[in-house]
Amino acid sequence: MGENPAKNHYAQLNQGEENEMEIFGYKTQGCRKALCIAGYFLSCGALLLLFYWKPEWDVWANCIRCSLEEADVVLLRTTDEFRIYSRKTVTWISVSALIQSRLNYPATAVEDSIFSKAIMKPSLQVKSIQVQRIRYVWNIYAKQFQKVGALEDHHTCSAIHAKFGSGLTCNEWNVRKVICGPNTIDVPVIPIWKLLIKEVLNPFYVFQLFSVCLWFAEDYMEYATAIIIMSLLSIFLTVYDLRQQSVKLHRLVESHNNIMVTVCRNKEGDSCFQELESHHLVPGDMLVLKEGKTLLPCDAILISGQCIVNESMLTGESIPVTKTHLPQADNFKPWRMHCAEDYKKHVLFCGTEVIQTKADDTGVVKAVVLRTGFNTAKGDLMRSILYPKPMNFKLYRDALRFLMCLIAFAAIGMIYTVCVFALNGEEAGEVVKKSLDVITIAVPPALPAALTTGIIYTQRRLKKKGIFCISPQRINMCGQLNLICFDKTGTLTEDGLDLWGLLPCERNCFQDIHSFPADHSLPWGPVFRAMAVCHSLIVWEGKIQGDPLDVKMFEATNWVIDDSSGHQIEGQGSTHATVVRPGPKASSAPVEGVAILHQFPFSSALQRMSVIAQEIGGEQQVFTKGAPEMVAMLCRAETVPLNFESKLLLYTAQGFRVIGLACKSLQAGKQSTDLTREEVESDLTFLGLLIMENRLKRETKPVLEELSAARIRSVMVTGDNIQTAVTVAKNAGMISPTNRVILVEANKIPGSFSASITWKPLEKNKPEDYRGLAKAMGLEPRSPRVFTSALPVEDDSPPTTERRIGLALASGQYHFAMSGKSYQIVAQHFRHLLPKLLLNGTVFARMSPGQKSSLVEEFQKLDYFVGMCGDGANDCGALKVAHAGISLSEQEASVASPFTSRTPSIACVPELIREGRAALVTSFCMFKYMALYSTIQYLGVLLLYWQLNAFGNYQFLFQDLAITTVIGVTMSFTGAYPKLVPYRPPSQLISPPLLLSVVLNILFSLSMQVFGFVVVQEQPWYSKTDIHSACLSVNNHVENSSSISSLGLRGMRDGAHGQTDNGYKSYENTTVWLLSTINCLIVALVFSKGRPFRQPIYTNYVFILVLIGQLGVCLFLVFADIDDLYSKMDVSIVPSLFAPLPRGGSPW
């Protein structure tokens, strides 16, 4: 039964967001509910269990469709390819006790917020649902469920200052608290009994329970007991792991739930301060941040003062970040749109630590609570762990389909069994047991456990190599990776930068370069002052902390930071200005020190930072540093050297990171806090270029060469300069020296909705080479968009275009490079070109975190299996969406990454791919073996059912426990092959080669068993009724066979039969059982693959010894002469071809 989205019955939740869902309204109907309850009892709980597995069936059976407004139950469905359903009950929140009258809470009548729009009149109740720990309330005007626990986005900058600057009233706070719920990221430790019940109700364990009950009914006690022990062990280990993870997550967040904070309350127009526990905070509350370290219990917008925050929880880097207050801009744009990409510079995120606060003229640092609970940055991180995105992997889909095929085989076998036994007049109970037994034979209960065995062993091997995995199912996906995205700084290159040189500029000309380290120190001057003050460094725990670039630049001056709490600066009053002074090793300077009065922090959108500084006793000056192109644009043209571009290209082409420096003097008497960024960063004087060296890590080039040899694509995704990134890509071997790099640039056309795209070579080559590619890419102008090019474009017919694309891209001779901005514009305006550009795109520079995630998803749409390797800084989103995210940082930010490497080296990438390939092949081997083993046993049993016979319990036990279980455990011991081959293991179970191998093995097994079944009946000593006929002489020269049969063997046979024969003994049984057992060993050897993805099979000594031992036992059973053993194993005595026959007697 499906959903037909009808008006008011259907809506979308979190539209356009990552966790977008469809929501359907239902109302519980009494008569339907009563019928379902009756069904629960009549089915002995089976119907209830089915509804537990399928919540949508539960809702469809118990409820009728209705509008969302009337609904008391909602059904949610994810909008991804999995379409997963979940059921939620609507709850009501009463606020009547808080709102006695409209006068008591006037805000509910006039406030343009979800809190006023959610309260139903006159009942004063709020309708809500909770989805993935986030509360949604019903907006009675918009007729939809909306998220609460976050400040609305429509507020302008001035509105936030005006509405929330003096705090909420007590009534407002009470209503918001009841509607939003507590500000906690509550991850309770799940009780063991709950974990046990959830695990036991897994369909796999329910099927095992069914199997075990059936086996007990058939007196198959030993294997049933063995399965119970193994299942209990598996359940307890899983529950233990889940419990440990639950405890770990609980400890991770418990410290954030009860922090004492100071808030500002608005009492009749006057503000007063109040201390309370952080779980009482609501969106809109006014937080007062005091001096000293503070752990933030919520997301908040800074509206006064300045903060220095440690955001390692979010970024993975313990680099202090400066936060500035939200400007009081008087416009109609929502605050986030006004601040554009820089809005994060004003937001303090939950879980981060405020290291230092700097008050402004008001003397207080204040922030408005933006988000609470699981709506916060920390809460979002926790939700990504608690509710991971399901994986779509062909192996698991195919395994389910294959399982369905086995169930279909079982159904055929059941019909055959019922027909055979019913026609022969067997009792109904016996017929039912035998037919149900076919299911447990055809569909082995140990199959899911066998599939995970290889993953468990691989996880252990990875742990020994310092690679930790929190999502074991992704290990198999690593075996399919064919594209790896690498961050640059800290991943491919060393984390820190080395100062290589300084190219100063005086009077519109570059001077001689000053190299570092140098014999002579840098002379005092504007460039020196810029290096000393243009940074956001602080002294934290006795060390200078900040961006590695800033640290290296400042250390080169030999100055020190004076971390005193306050300094009296002339004309500025008492302020928390940072003062830098000459250190003991510094060259003589004509000043006592320089105070940094105000900072405009680095912005990735603006690509620069600025400070206002003042020499002690001197004038105020502005210093700016950033991307050279951007800094040069802000400078007066007459101060920028004419050869600026050629010099910049000279150094970036060598892989150096280049920073531009500029300055200007400010008019006296102006307060630094009154100046806007636009006023400060204009009419600057160009000072020169700072050249930093970012060395490749030692292991980078060999690893990338290994990946390239294995035909695994490497792509660089970085926030750095595009020219630097291209050079690093060439040095690292991503781009071959013989290959060409084409820069793709896209720009929006001012004043229109159109965009233009250009491409040009980054090195000098023949234009005709690129003209051919231009045509091949099919970049024709498309209205209303405009296409421009640095090279001519000619029209081409579609077939020729396709051929050219194939030739140009398949040859791999071109590599595209583009910036994040260009990528965004291409994705919006030239969508048809994006796949073609991505196929040969190697360098993506100046990429924001959101663009990195988007790029990974676009690669996935092109059927790439994408790995992402980053150091945690701004890579969290991409690490989560990639098929395999590998974090090189052990900071808290890496919790959402499936894999974390203890050593910050990309050497873990090929290691992970090797182990992933081995695990994937092992899963295939195990699946094929388990499927074949069950089919072999299934064919043997159906063959014996023809004679109303079957395998004995100990025969089953020997095959199930001594053969299959031991093989299942030891087959996975084979390690990964050390060399990455240039092709991947198959990812589909339902593929012609694999199906062919399975079908051929089934036919071989069937022919073997049928051959044995028929041949044994053709033997001269065969008797269908007398299982001891072979004990008589098979020698035609023996004359007294009848008397021996009647006298000598009767007593032995009768006695033995009376005591141990349970009806299973027959020559057919013995033959088929021995052949099927040996067949299982042959299949195990055939399907246990070695090279090229796993080590040769002979290296798995345990497995080889097990196979030899099992074969030895089988041969022993053939040749042994032990009556008690044969009786126990239900084996009949068959004459040996090799044993000498005694004269006149049996071969014994």
Side-chain angles (χ1 to χ4, degrees):
M1 180 177 175
E3 292 295 345
N4 298 314
K7 195 177 179 182
N8 301 326
H9 163 66
Y10 157 86
Q12 282 197 318
L13 207 63
N14 307 321
Q15 195 166 3
E17 295 181 30
E18 191 182 349
N19 57 340
E20 183 182 82
M21 291 182 180
E22 294 171 317
I23 181 169
F24 304 90
Y26 287 89
K27 186 185 281 185
T28 308
Q29 198 176 42
C31 59
R32 285 185 172 220
K33 196 170 181 67
L35 284 171
C36 286
I37 291 169
Y40 300 156
F41 286 105
L42 292 172
S43 64
C44 300
L47 184 63
L48 190 63
L49 187 63
L50 187 65
F51 285 169
Y52 171 78
W53 291 336
K54 289 282 188 181
E56 64 272 28
W57 294 2
D58 180 18
V59 173
W60 295 334
N62 281 280
C63 310
I64 56 169
R65 271 190 358 168
C66 69
S67 68
L68 285 166
E69 193 171 8
E70 299 171 324
D72 59 7
V73 170
V74 295
L75 191 61
L76 297 157
R77 183 174 67 191
T78 59
T79 54
D80 57 19
E81 59 193 298
F82 300 99
R83 317 284 276 180
I84 298 168
Y85 282 94
S86 56
R87 177 190 189 276
K88 297 292 172 187
T89 305
V90 174
T91 55
W92 293 88
I93 303 166
S94 175
V95 292
S96 57
L98 305 172
I99 306 173
Q100 302 301 330
S101 67
R102 287 185 62 176
L103 294 173
N104 192 26
Y105 186 56
T108 55
V110 297
E111 190 184 6
D112 185 25
S113 75
I114 185 62
F115 301 102
S116 60
K117 295 173 183 175
I119 300 172
M120 294 187 176
K121 316 291 191 304
S123 62
L124 298 179
Q125 285 187 316
V126 176
K127 184 178 180 177
S128 73
I129 56 172
Q130 188 143 326
V131 182
Q132 292 186 353
R133 311 292 177 102
I134 288 181
R135 186 176 288 182
Y136 298 81
V137 297
W138 180 254
N139 185 327
I140 54 179
Y141 301 103
K143 304 290 183 186
Q144 63 181 18
F145 280 102
Q146 283 184 313
K147 197 183 292 185
V148 288
L151 211 60
E152 289 85 348
D153 288 333
H154 63 75
H155 291 298
T156 63
C157 295
S158 53
I160 288 174
H161 281 275
K163 284 186 178 180
F164 307 108
S166 54
L168 299 173
T169 64
C170 287
N171 284 333
E172 287 174 328
W173 172 73
N174 278 322
V175 170
R176 286 174 181 243
K177 184 187 168 190
V178 170
I179 294 174
C180 292
N183 170 41
T184 55
I185 302 172
D186 194 19
V187 184
V189 177
I190 305 169
I192 291 173
W193 65 269
K194 271 191 180 180
L195 291 170
L196 269 172
I197 289 173
K198 190 177 179 182
E199 191 64 21
V200 166
L201 292 181
N202 185 300
F204 160 57
Y205 288 116
V206 171
F207 178 63
Q208 277 204 338
L209 181 65
F210 161 76
S211 303
V212 164
C213 291
L214 185 64
W215 292 334
F216 273 121
E218 294 183 332
D219 293 328
Y220 187 27
M221 302 288 186
E222 292 83 356
Y223 186 59
T225 307
I227 285 289
I228 289 172
I229 292 167
M230 286 193 293
S231 297
L232 287 175
L233 188 64
S234 174
I235 288 169
F236 288 139
L237 284 172
T238 307
V239 167
Y240 175 77
D241 285 342
L242 290 170
R243 175 77 173 186
Q244 291 295 100
Q245 190 179 2
S246 179
V247 169
K248 187 180 176 182
L249 287 175
H250 176 73
R251 286 175 182 165
L252 200 62
V253 296
E254 67 177 337
S255 58
H256 296 86
N257 293 333
N258 288 302
I259 300 167
M260 293 305 295
V261 293
T262 304
V263 295
C264 188
R265 284 276 171 266
N266 189 347
K267 291 190 176 179
E268 299 176 1
D270 294 329
S271 296
C272 65
F273 297 117
Q274 178 184 340
E275 281 213 355
L276 47 80
E277 287 187 339
S278 60
H279 65 262
H280 293 302
L281 290 173
V282 297
D285 253 334
M286 172 60 63
L287 268 179
V288 178
L289 300 172
K290 296 182 177 178
E291 286 188 19
K293 289 185 183 179
T294 310
L295 204 60
L296 282 162
C298 60
D299 289 355
I301 309 169
L302 196 64
I303 63 166
S304 74
Q306 187 174 303
C307 290
I308 295 170
V309 183
N310 174 18
E311 289 191 340
S312 64
M313 186 280 293
L314 293 178
T315 65
E317 285 187 349
S318 300
I319 294 173
V321 179
T322 302
K323 301 284 184 177
T324 56
H325 65 79
L326 187 75
Q328 290 199 24
D330 194 13
N331 60 31
F332 299 104
K333 279 187 180 178
W335 72 276
R336 196 171 289 194
M337 282 180 66
H338 172 77
C339 300
E341 292 180 29
D342 285 336
Y343 79 92
K344 289 183 179 178
K345 294 293 177 188
H346 312 302
V347 179
L348 307 170
F349 293 103
C350 177
T352 60
E353 187 179 38
V354 176
I355 301 165
Q356 200 178 88
T357 57
K358 294 181 181 179
D360 53 16
D361 299 338
T362 60
V364 182
V365 178
K366 294 193 287 188
V368 173
V369 174
L370 175 64
R371 291 180 286 259
T372 58
F374 279 95
N375 294 285
T376 61
K378 174 108 178 173
D380 191 47
L381 188 63
M382 288 300 112
R383 286 196 311 116
S384 70
I385 299 167
L386 293 168
Y387 306 100
K389 190 178 176 182
M391 291 178 300
N392 184 15
F393 194 34
K394 289 176 184 174
L395 171 66
Y396 304 123
R397 288 205 315 268
D398 290 350
L400 199 61
R401 288 173 189 164
F402 207 91
L403 221 53
M404 294 298 110
C405 292
L406 291 178
I407 290 169
F409 274 126
I412 294 166
M414 284 178 72
I415 295 165
Y416 164 83
T417 305
V418 170
C419 293
V420 168
F421 280 88
L423 289 172
N424 282 277
E426 290 287 330
E427 292 179 8
E430 193 65 26
V431 173
V432 169
K433 279 197 293 183
K434 291 291 182 189
S435 58
L436 289 176
D437 208 18
V438 172
I439 299 177
T440 65
I441 294 168
V443 185
L447 182 59
L451 280 176
T452 58
T453 311
I455 294 172
I456 292 166
Y457 290 135
T458 305
Q459 195 175 1
R460 285 182 183 172
R461 287 197 295 267
L462 286 171
K463 194 174 181 181
K464 286 178 183 175
K465 292 170 183 176
I467 302 168
F468 299 94
C469 174
I470 62 165
S471 181
Q473 294 304 317
R474 287 189 186 252
I475 290 173
N476 275 343
M477 278 195 167
C478 294
Q480 284 293 303
L481 294 181
N482 57 354
L483 186 146
I484 311 290
C485 294
F486 291 99
D487 182 34
K488 183 180 78 71
T489 310
T491 304
L492 297 175
T493 61
E494 296 290 351
D495 210 0
L497 292 162
D498 291 320
L499 194 58
W500 185 83
L502 174 68
L503 193 64
C505 172
E506 286 181 22
R507 295 183 298 278
N508 195 20
C509 291
F510 282 118
Q511 306 300 304
D512 292 338
I513 193 162
H514 181 92
S515 299
F516 294 95
D519 296 332
H520 61 283
S521 57
L522 197 65
W524 173 257
V527 177
F528 188 98
R529 287 197 293 275
M531 290 173 64
V533 298
C534 196
H535 54 73
S536 54
L537 300 174
I538 63 161
V539 177
W540 182 29
E541 296 179 348
K543 289 183 180 178
I544 293 175
Q545 300 276 355
D547 188 282
L549 185 150
D550 287 354
V551 172
K552 288 287 182 184
M553 181 184 73
F554 182 70
E555 284 176 349
T557 64
N558 289 320
W559 279 37
V560 293
I561 297 174
D562 186 351
D563 58 339
S564 304
S565 58
H567 296 279
Q568 191 71 26
I569 308 298
E570 190 179 333
Q572 297 295 320
S574 181
T575 178
H576 286 76
T578 301
V579 174
V580 293
R581 304 181 188 276
K585 296 180 182 178
S587 57
S588 59
V591 293
E592 182 188 335
V594 183
I596 303 167
L597 304 178
H598 190 69
Q599 280 185 29
F600 296 96
F602 176 77
S603 158
S604 54
L606 300 175
Q607 298 177 27
R608 62 183 181 268
M609 74 159 292
S610 297
V611 297
I612 299 173
Q614 182 179 4
E615 292 178 11
I616 295 174
E619 64 172 0
Q620 291 184 31
Q621 283 185 301
V622 172
F623 293 95
T624 300
K625 83 168 190 298
E629 308 94 328
M630 189 59 65
V631 171
M633 284 171 59
L634 301 172
C635 294
R636 295 189 316 247
E638 62 270 19
T639 67
V640 181
L642 295 173
N643 60 342
F644 168 79
E645 288 186 7
S646 61
K647 282 286 185 186
L648 177 61
L649 186 61
L650 174 68
Y651 291 108
T652 54
Q654 295 175 59
F656 291 113
R657 186 169 179 185
V658 183
I659 307 295
L661 300 172
C663 76
K664 78 170 180 181
S665 297
L666 286 178
Q667 294 175 3
K670 267 203 170 184
Q671 286 282 344
S672 59
T673 52
D674 296 337
L675 296 168
T676 64
R677 188 161 193 160
E678 290 74 20
E679 290 174 316
V680 168
E681 295 175 340
S682 62
D683 298 325
L684 300 170
T685 300
F686 187 74
L687 293 178
L689 299 174
L690 197 64
I691 301 159
M692 316 289 288
E693 188 177 22
N694 198 191
R695 293 193 183 96
L696 279 178
K697 287 184 177 177
R698 183 171 44 84
E699 63 277 358
T700 296
K701 198 166 183 178
V703 166
L704 294 180
E705 285 173 353
E706 184 180 5
L707 293 178
S708 177
R711 293 187 185 174
I712 296 168
R713 237 181 106 187
S714 297
V715 170
M716 186 189 294
V717 187
T718 178
D720 208 343
N721 172 281
I722 196 160
Q723 184 67 63
T724 305
V726 167
T727 307
V728 170
K730 285 182 174 179
N731 294 341
M734 275 187 182
I735 299 171
S736 167
T738 58
N739 291 352
R740 298 147 187 179
V741 181
I742 297 172
L743 178 63
V744 179
E745 288 183 339
N747 293 288
K748 286 187 179 178
I749 297 174
S752 74
F753 293 104
S754 304
S756 67
I757 183 169
T758 63
W759 69 98
K760 57 186 177 185
L762 281 180
E763 61 275 290
K764 293 180 181 178
N765 284 289
K766 294 179 182 179
E768 55 268 23
D769 292 340
Y770 296 96
R771 189 181 298 119
L773 181 67
K775 288 192 289 182
M777 290 300 294
L779 303 176
E780 298 87 358
R782 295 198 180 187
S783 181
R785 300 165 186 140
V786 178
F787 174 80
T788 62
S789 169
L791 302 162
V793 181
E794 300 167 11
D795 288 332
D796 217 340
S797 62
T800 312
T801 301
E802 292 303 319
R803 283 199 301 274
R804 287 183 181 275
I805 290 170
L807 287 170
L809 299 184
S811 65
Q813 58 186 318
Y814 296 105
H815 293 267
F816 293 113
M818 68 174 80
S819 66
K821 176 188 157 196
S822 296
Y823 166 77
Q824 200 77 31
I825 293 169
V826 169
Q828 289 173 358
H829 295 270
F830 300 96
R831 189 79 201 170
H832 65 290
L833 298 181
L834 191 59
K836 299 173 185 177
L837 291 171
L838 293 184
L839 281 172
N840 263 40
T842 302
V843 175
F844 297 85
R846 299 289 187 212
M847 297 286 280
S848 69
Q851 287 165 347
K852 287 183 180 182
S853 303
S854 169
L855 179 69
V856 169
E857 288 175 331
E858 290 298 333
F859 275 126
Q860 288 171 334
K861 287 175 188 174
L862 296 176
D863 288 333
Y864 278 107
F865 278 83
V866 185
M868 174 72 200
C869 183
D871 60 352
N874 302 320
D875 298 322
C876 283
L879 289 170
K880 281 195 287 183
V881 299
H883 289 111
I886 310 153
S887 173
L888 303 185
S889 165
E890 292 191 69
Q891 295 284 350
E892 197 174 325
S894 67
V895 238
S897 176
F899 300 95
T900 306
S901 175
R902 184 187 290 160
T903 52
S905 158
I906 66 165
C908 64
V909 175
E911 199 61 62
L912 190 59
I913 294 172
R914 271 193 289 271
E915 290 292 353
R917 287 180 173 187
L920 184 58
V921 170
T922 301
S923 293
F924 270 88
C925 293
M926 284 304 305
F927 194 93
K928 288 194 288 184
Y929 172 71
M930 293 300 289
L932 258 296
Y933 138 75
S934 62
T935 308
I936 289 165
Q937 204 175 66
Y938 169 80
L939 293 172
V941 168
L942 292 189
L943 208 56
L944 293 175
Y945 275 2
W946 186 254
Q947 290 190 332
L948 304 183
N949 202 336
F951 291 154
N953 283 352
Y954 281 99
Q955 290 174 331
F956 272 126
L957 188 66
F958 183 77
Q959 283 189 348
D960 293 341
L961 202 59
I963 301 289
T964 304
T965 305
V966 177
I967 284 174
V969 170
T970 57
M971 188 189 278
S972 305
F973 286 169
T974 311
Y977 194 64
K979 185 184 176 184
L980 281 176
V981 291
Y983 48 91
R984 297 174 292 160
S987 62
Q988 290 180 300
L989 273 171
I990 314 297
S991 62
L994 191 142
L995 286 176
L996 184 65
S997 72
V998 169
V999 169
L1000 288 176
N1001 273 282
I1002 289 173
L1003 292 174
F1004 173 71
S1005 174
L1006 181 62
S1007 58
M1008 238 176 109
Q1009 293 185 34
V1010 170
F1011 176 78
F1013 189 82
V1014 172
V1015 167
V1016 77
Q1017 293 177 350
E1018 299 297 322
Q1019 298 305 305
W1021 40 259
Y1022 170 79
S1023 169
K1024 188 174 181 179
T1025 55
D1026 189 356
I1027 60 168
H1028 297 284
S1029 60
C1031 292
L1032 303 176
S1033 173
V1034 291
N1035 192 329
N1036 292 330
H1037 300 291
V1038 177
E1039 297 178 1
N1040 297 322
S1041 59
S1042 57
S1043 61
I1044 295 171
S1045 174
S1046 58
L1047 299 172
L1049 293 176
R1050 184 177 297 166
M1052 179 270 290
R1053 182 177 69 245
D1054 291 347
H1057 188 273
Q1059 291 171 15
T1060 60
D1061 188 9
N1062 51 19
Y1064 291 128
K1065 281 187 179 182
S1066 74
Y1067 293 121
E1068 291 91 345
N1069 172 293
T1070 303
T1071 305
V1072 170
W1073 178 73
L1074 280 169
L1075 286 174
S1076 63
T1077 305
I1078 292 170
N1079 204 356
C1080 284
L1081 300 181
I1082 294 168
V1083 165
L1085 191 63
V1086 168
F1087 282 158
S1088 185
K1089 295 209 173 186
R1091 287 184 290 195
F1093 303 112
R1094 302 201 308 167
Q1095 288 181 357
I1097 191 64
Y1098 57 77
T1099 60
N1100 188 348
Y1101 308 115
V1102 178
F1103 179 65
I1104 294 296
L1105 288 173
V1106 161
L1107 284 181
I1108 292 169
Q1110 290 170 338
L1111 182 62
V1113 171
C1114 290
L1115 294 174
F1116 175 76
L1117 287 170
V1118 171
F1119 295 109
D1121 182 14
I1122 306 171
D1123 290 341
D1124 290 341
L1125 178 64
Y1126 281 2
S1127 298
K1128 202 78 174 170
M1129 294 297 296
D1130 296 312
V1131 174
S1132 299
I1133 301 169
V1134 180
S1136 168
L1137 297 174
F1138 305 106
L1141 292 176
R1143 187 177 177 84
S1146 73
W1148 291 253

